[in-house]
Amino acid sequence: MDEFDYTELLKAAGLELVETDGRLALTDGTLTVCGDFTRMLGRLRPANLNRELLVKAARIKHAEGPLVAVDATAGLGDDSLLLAGAGFDVTMFERNPVIAALLRDALERAAHLPELADIADRMKLVEGDSATKLAKLESRPDVVLLDPMFPAKRKDSAVKKKLQLLQRLEMPCDDEGALLDAARASGARKVVVKRPAKGPYLAKAKPSYSLSGKAIRYDCYA
């Protein structure tokens, strides 16, 4: 996307990118959000990481060697960070150039922090639509993670700060079936879909099994 389109995208959403405290941040003048992996350090401790529902859902029994994961809807990279922390080599796809810029900035900063450098080294960002790029992967991934954005329920008092801004840039998935089909067509050994605990299956496709927490459910397609 060229500079004009990039500027117009922000303008249309009433947002701007700014440098603050050495970080690239997205703001509307009131709310501000940036990619920040340091706030995840507690969750990356081995004892905590092994309890993460995502890590449990992504693991493949009896697999040998490092596993390869594709986060097809990376956003600000929190889920990718957890997978990389658990030893996965992760390729992240993000189709929105502004969100990709925030993620790239967070990744570059993490690479210079001793406690995150090794994890960040296992994370690769690719800007573009995963629905088209999944079919062109050079090798078959072990796991594909899908976390398509879904609209907030009207009864919710407020959406988390980062989602309030990000949803002004990137609309919820408009073709769930195509996204799930692309993930399956990648040849992955498992497709993991992140959903609200009581939300419907993606594209109404019943998974092989699910792992559920209080707020989040992971549907696994083996």
Side-chain angles (χ1 to χ4, degrees):
M1 177 171 283
D2 59 36
E3 186 65 27
F4 175 79
D5 287 334
Y6 193 81
T7 302
E8 288 299 307
L9 184 62
L10 287 165
K11 183 179 179 181
L15 302 170
E16 63 177 329
L17 284 176
V18 297
E19 287 278 353
T20 176
D21 297 326
R23 302 174 178 180
L24 186 66
L26 183 69
T27 183
D28 64 357
T30 301
L31 298 176
T32 300
V33 65
C34 66
D36 181 12
F37 292 147
T38 60
R39 62 183 177 76
M40 301 276 287
L41 286 173
R43 296 175 67 181
L44 292 172
R45 294 170 185 159
N48 295 334
L49 196 58
N50 290 331
R51 292 196 294 266
E52 288 284 345
L53 207 59
L54 169 60
V55 173
K56 292 179 180 180
R59 281 180 174 149
I60 297 176
K61 290 183 179 180
H62 311 302
E64 297 181 359
L67 293 178
V68 176
V70 171
D71 186 345
T73 50
L76 292 181
D78 290 356
D79 289 336
S80 291
L81 185 74
L82 292 175
L83 290 177
F88 286 78
D89 291 322
V90 186
T91 296
M92 304 175 289
F93 287 102
E94 176 50 52
R95 66 181 181 178
N96 186 283
V98 176
I99 298 175
L102 295 171
L103 177 52
R104 186 177 299 108
D105 178 69
L107 199 58
E108 290 173 354
R109 285 185 281 107
H112 292 90
L113 297 175
E115 61 268 48
L116 288 172
D118 288 345
I119 296 175
D121 192 51
R122 292 194 289 273
M123 300 167 67
K124 174 186 176 183
L125 173 60
V126 178
E127 186 177 327
D129 188 352
S130 60
T132 58
K133 292 182 178 292
L134 278 169
K136 301 176 182 178
L137 294 174
E138 294 182 0
S139 58
R140 187 181 77 163
D142 294 293
V143 178
V144 173
L145 171 65
L146 303 178
D147 180 14
M149 191 179 295
F150 47 88
K153 296 178 181 179
R154 289 185 179 181
K155 67 179 181 180
D156 291 347
S157 59
V159 183
K160 284 185 178 181
K161 182 169 67 173
K162 72 177 181 180
L163 290 182
Q164 289 185 34
L165 298 187
L166 298 186
Q167 286 185 342
R168 286 160 64 173
L169 284 170
E170 191 166 61
M171 297 299 293
C173 180
D174 57 359
D175 194 340
E176 296 179 345
L179 183 60
L180 184 57
D181 287 346
R184 286 170 157 170
S186 71
R189 297 162 71 178
K190 181 190 291 187
V191 176
V192 177
V193 182
K194 185 177 182 179
R195 304 298 287 163
K198 296 182 180 180
Y201 296 138
L202 188 68
K204 299 181 181 180
K206 186 177 180 180
S208 304
Y209 62 94
S210 300
L211 297 179
S212 297
K214 292 182 179 180
I216 296 296
R217 185 186 76 238
Y218 289 96
D219 294 334
C220 301
Y221 300 80

